[in-house]
Amino acid sequence: MKINRRSFIKRSGGAAAISMCSLGIPLTSASTNAVPLFRQTLSSSISELKSDWQVLVIGSGYGGSIMAAKLSEYFEVAILERGKEWKAGDFPDTFANTASQIKSVINPLGLVDFTIGDDVDVLSGSGLGGTSLINANVLISPDDSHFNSYDWPTAIRRDNINGKLQQHRDAVLSVLAPEQVSTSKQRAKQRHMISSATHLQEKGEAIEIDNLQLAVNVVGNDNESNPQGVKMNQCTQCGDCVTGCNVGAKKTLDTNYLPIAKNNGAKIFTQCLVDTVEKITDGSYRVIGRYISHNSEESPFILSADKVIVAAGSLGSTGLLMRSEQQGNLDFSSKLGDCFSGNSDVLGMNYNQKIDAQIEGHGIHSPPNEQYKVGPTLTTGVHHLNGPNGKLLIEEGAMPRALVNTMRYAAAIAAPSSSVPKNQRVALDLTLAGEGGAISHSMIYLGMGKEVSQGKIKLDSHGNPKVVWPGALSDPTISALREAMGQHTQVFDGQMIDNPRSEWLGGKNLVTVHPLGGCKMANYVGQGVANHKGQVFSSSGGIHDGLYVCDGAILPGAVGVNPMLVISSLADRIADHFIQDNQ
């Protein structure tokens, strides 16, 4: 019986890859190249969770952590985080360990929250520090004109013009202290991305190239304290940012804003899942939730607070308000759940090209050779200026160590070739040779832009939020991003693998790592869910005094770039208004 290359890989290689990855067989030797770190535990024992608080912050992502850090100077603050506390060295770096950290009903403390929607899936982090634990650390702001749109409340547009929004941006940057991988130390994947962009520029494409600012300790010394007193190591260029930094170089929220909050007296409680919020007759709020032990046993709690800040992420915050409206005595704007955006996120791969881009992460294990430096996950951005709804942004990526072996086989199945050089590189991958194979000769792309359409967040039959967006796949911005990735792929004779969800998980859903909207800020209740201060509207048009939303949920749609800095700047601004209004 004749067996072609694709069927051979399916019959033999795929099973071998999965079994090797499940066993945790390393790509390289298991020696470590990072100085071990000792970091203070930030979370308090659940026994310290008393029943009454001045301010409760639900969630510890950028919105929640920044609010807690600033408010704790003036108020008694407690942070409730659904996930557990992670430390450098604890993050998974094999396929099996990473798969075991998918959050689910039977694994409620998993690191990775993958929410499957009808049309768009959402990937986010779950743990102390939220998605900062598994993001790619990029601090970038959209053009100033972005905030002049009438989608934003009048006060935000005014503060953009008068410079106050820039002041909040600067305040955030002073804490997160971004750095760049310098031009003199560019990695192979950066040089490749710049080369393909330059080639397209020469062909007449309107393109700008950007050296990205990263919340990573790129040049600092090992085992030295940052201004918040947290020990940091220098980035080893290992490429594992998005599965958790075991080196201790990422400037995640547990290394800056959360220590500030703790040092100011805030109490931090992990493994606390909030189900609903209710208003009490005296004007304060009742927060109902469950503490989840390490063996997944649940203990219910009921807390009261004068002020509640909902900062559980786009899906989490929207879902919490929806459940609260269904089950309690709170009423919200009819716009709750509207204006969802995936920031036009498109993931793609330029597979098995001529150039060795060295994208295979190695974590705390030794690289294939001393010259093999992957770099942080994202370092370079290419702006395509003529998108259908403004600029498009494509950033080069790296593949974390946990996924490398599996991807070597999966990509070979998805993109077969008759080219002898390409098949030789595939053969290296199938034997797990360690370097120089088809995956190393590939490039990961993350594309962003501004969708023309928007989706909705709705509750499923179990009360969990999901995205419903029938037009997402056909949005012109999504199509334009795929076309632009295809242009980059053709420059060095690669093969485009269009959508990882379609190729390896089935279905056609888009996958976003930047969920935005659902609790849009607006001038009044007919336009959105919260005002420019984050205060939540009642259905009658007033506000629920003391109830706030402060995270990516309040954005009115896509920002077209990594939204971390926009969310953080708005949180800094909301915190200042909170302090002024409540002192």
Side-chain angles (χ1 to χ4, degrees):
M1 180 177 66
K2 185 177 180 180
I3 299 177
N4 62 26
R5 173 175 172 269
R6 177 184 284 253
S7 63
F8 171 78
I9 294 170
K10 283 185 176 179
R11 292 174 186 223
S12 60
I18 292 172
S19 62
M20 286 182 176
C21 290
S22 297
L23 291 171
I25 293 178
L27 295 169
T28 59
S29 62
S31 60
T32 179
N33 54 8
V35 177
L37 287 173
F38 171 79
R39 286 181 175 172
Q40 175 191 16
T41 297
L42 297 174
S43 55
S44 297
S45 167
I46 192 64
S47 63
E48 297 182 43
L49 181 61
K50 62 179 188 174
S51 59
D52 298 295
W53 300 86
Q54 279 188 294
V55 180
L56 278 176
V57 178
I58 302 170
S60 64
Y62 289 99
S65 291
I66 291 171
M67 287 289 283
K70 299 195 72 169
L71 269 53
S72 55
E73 288 190 61
Y74 307 93
F75 308 97
E76 178 195 50
V77 174
I79 302 169
L80 302 178
E81 163 57 45
R82 65 176 179 172
K84 67 180 184 178
E85 182 169 0
W86 291 81
K87 295 186 180 180
D90 294 338
F91 293 101
D93 73 347
T94 66
F95 179 82
N97 289 340
T98 302
S100 72
Q101 288 304 326
I102 302 295
K103 185 178 179 294
S104 66
V105 174
I106 61 173
N107 185 30
L109 300 180
L111 172 66
V112 180
D113 189 356
F114 189 71
T115 302
I116 297 176
D118 289 357
D119 312 282
V120 177
D121 302 334
V122 176
L123 178 67
S124 57
S126 183
L128 187 60
T131 300
S132 78
L133 299 174
I134 60 168
N135 71 1
N137 335 296
V138 177
L139 286 157
I140 183 172
S141 184
D143 295 338
D144 276 350
S145 59
H146 172 77
F147 296 98
N148 294 335
S149 163
Y150 285 99
D151 287 335
W152 292 95
T154 303
I156 298 293
R157 288 185 274 127
R158 182 174 60 244
D159 279 3
N160 181 55
I161 294 170
N162 64 26
K164 289 183 179 179
L165 203 57
Q166 181 62 49
Q167 292 173 11
H168 292 292
R169 195 176 298 131
D170 291 341
V172 169
L173 293 173
S174 71
V175 175
L176 295 179
E179 304 177 36
Q180 294 176 310
V181 177
S182 67
T183 303
S184 63
K185 294 185 178 180
Q186 283 179 347
R187 306 276 62 93
K189 66 187 181 74
Q190 292 176 267
R191 293 192 295 271
H192 165 271
M193 190 69 182
I194 293 169
S195 294
S196 66
T198 302
H199 177 84
L200 294 176
Q201 278 179 325
E202 292 170 351
K203 290 181 65 177
E205 291 290 327
I207 283 175
E208 294 175 351
I209 302 170
D210 192 8
N211 192 16
L212 299 174
Q213 296 276 359
L214 309 173
V216 178
N217 186 34
V218 176
V219 298
N221 294 322
D222 284 335
N223 206 26
E224 290 196 358
S225 297
N226 66 8
Q228 291 77 40
V230 178
K231 291 289 182 70
M232 304 289 294
N233 275 336
Q234 186 182 92
C235 177
T236 60
Q237 315 283 309
C238 77
D240 270 20
C241 300
V242 296
T243 48
C245 181
N246 282 319
V247 172
K250 273 182 66 172
K251 299 176 182 179
T252 48
L253 290 165
D254 56 328
T255 71
N256 39 68
Y257 279 106
L258 287 169
I260 291 173
K262 183 177 178 66
N263 292 336
N264 286 340
K267 291 289 187 179
I268 300 171
F269 299 97
T270 55
Q271 303 168 217
C272 291
L273 178 63
V274 174
D275 294 313
T276 58
V277 176
E278 299 175 355
K279 185 173 282 189
I280 306 174
T281 53
D282 65 0
S284 62
Y285 292 89
R286 180 181 293 116
V287 173
I288 301 169
R290 294 161 283 157
Y291 171 73
I292 303 170
S293 69
H294 286 289
N295 60 5
S296 299
E297 292 182 356
E298 297 183 357
S299 303
F301 61 74
I302 298 177
L303 312 175
S304 63
D306 297 331
K307 314 289 181 183
V308 173
I309 298 161
V310 180
S314 180
L315 263 63
S317 292
T318 306
L320 175 55
L321 293 189
M322 286 179 167
R323 290 192 303 271
S324 298
E325 186 170 41
Q326 284 183 354
Q327 301 176 24
N329 57 1
L330 288 170
D331 55 278
F332 304 118
S333 166
S334 61
K335 300 296 183 182
L336 180 62
D338 289 358
C339 298
F340 177 85
S341 166
N343 209 37
S344 294
D345 281 357
V346 175
L347 297 173
M349 175 185 275
N350 168 4
Y351 176 61
N352 203 359
Q353 58 178 346
K354 293 178 180 179
I355 305 300
D356 190 342
Q358 298 185 354
I359 67 166
E360 296 178 330
H362 55 82
I364 60 173
H365 301 264
S366 297
N369 58 67
E370 291 183 1
Q371 286 72 45
Y372 198 100
K373 298 286 187 182
V374 180
T377 297
L378 302 175
T379 54
T380 301
V382 175
H383 300 270
H384 289 248
L385 305 184
N386 296 324
N389 196 24
K391 293 181 181 179
L392 307 175
L393 174 60
I394 299 177
E395 297 168 342
E396 44 58 79
M399 185 174 295
R401 178 181 186 272
L403 301 183
V404 170
N405 277 350
T406 299
M407 290 296 292
R408 285 176 173 177
Y409 286 84
I413 294 170
S417 171
S418 58
S419 161
V420 172
K422 288 186 177 183
N423 283 337
Q424 288 174 337
R425 292 194 288 268
V426 170
L428 286 174
D429 275 356
L430 298 184
T431 58
L432 304 181
E435 61 177 312
I439 288 295
S440 192
H441 282 75
S442 300
M443 177 59 69
I444 303 292
Y445 296 128
L446 172 60
M448 286 161 275
K450 298 178 183 179
E451 302 101 341
V452 175
S453 60
Q454 291 184 321
K456 292 180 178 290
I457 298 173
K458 295 185 177 181
L459 294 182
D460 65 17
S461 59
H462 301 287
N464 299 314
K466 68 174 184 178
V467 178
V468 178
W469 193 350
L473 282 166
S474 59
D475 189 275
T477 302
I478 301 297
S479 301
L481 280 164
R482 286 176 168 158
E483 181 180 349
M485 289 178 184
Q487 290 177 322
H488 284 274
T489 298
Q490 292 170 11
V491 172
F492 295 111
D493 191 31
Q495 294 168 266
M496 187 67 191
I497 297 178
D498 185 36
N499 183 347
R501 171 72 147 87
S502 300
E503 297 289 353
W504 299 303
L505 298 178
K508 296 182 179 180
N509 281 17
L510 295 174
V511 179
T512 180
V513 294
H514 298 134
L516 305 171
C519 299
K520 173 188 174 182
M521 56 164 48
N523 288 319
Y524 59 91
V525 69
Q527 293 181 328
V529 177
N531 66 16
H532 71 99
K533 298 180 182 181
Q535 295 169 307
V536 179
F537 291 124
S538 67
S539 61
S540 62
I543 61 167
H544 291 293
D545 188 28
L547 183 62
Y548 295 74
V549 178
C550 183
D551 55 21
I554 62 175
L555 270 64
V559 294
V561 298
N562 311 70
M564 166 179 160
L565 183 55
V566 173
I567 295 169
S568 299
S569 302
L570 291 174
D572 191 83
R573 181 184 183 279
I574 290 172
D576 281 357
H577 279 286
F578 184 106
I579 293 166
Q580 293 167 10
D581 292 344
N582 291 285
Q583 272 193 301

